[in-house]
Amino acid sequence: MAITKIWRFADWVLKLETSNSRPMYEMECVSCDATSGVAEEPTGPQDWALKHAGRTQHTLFRALHTCFFHAVPKTVRE
C-alpha cells in the first residue's frame, strides 16, 4: 500500500479588517512603564501622556496603534 500526500499551496494576502473592529490606541511611558490604557480613539491616550508628563516630568512615550488583518487566499485579480 502506497501512501500519497497532496500538498496544496496558495498565495495569501493580508486585508485590513474595517467592518467589525476598530483600531486600538495606547501610550506607554518609557521612563516608568506606566500606561494610558487602551482606547478606541487616540485623544484619550494622548491626553494621558501630557498629564503624566506634567505630573512626573517624564517626556518620552511609546505610542501603540493596533489594527487587525485577515489572511485571505489571493485571487487572480489581485
Side-chain angles (χ1 to χ4, degrees), residues 15-55:
K15 300 267 186 177
L16 182 63
E17 168 58 43
T18 57
S19 61
N20 294 325
S21 60
R22 299 184 61 180
M24 297 184 304
Y25 302 91
E26 185 174 14
M27 296 290 276
E28 295 177 347
C29 177
V30 174
S31 299
C32 71
D33 294 329
T35 65
S36 65
V38 177
E40 290 185 352
E41 298 293 332
T43 53
Q46 291 169 356
D47 289 346
W48 172 87
L50 294 171
K51 290 175 185 174
H52 184 77
R55 285 190 309 270

Side-chain angles (χ1 to χ4, degrees), residues 10-15 70-76 78:
D11 291 328
W12 289 75
V13 294
L14 291 174
K15 300 267 186 177
H70 282 284
V72 296
K74 184 176 180 180
T75 62
V76 176
E78 294 178 310

Side-chain angles (χ1 to χ4, degrees), residues 54-72:
R55 285 190 309 270
T56 64
Q57 302 302 307
H58 297 167
T59 58
L60 186 60
F61 297 89
R62 179 181 302 113
L64 304 172
H65 175 213
T66 303
C67 53
F68 301 91
F69 291 83
H70 282 284
V72 296

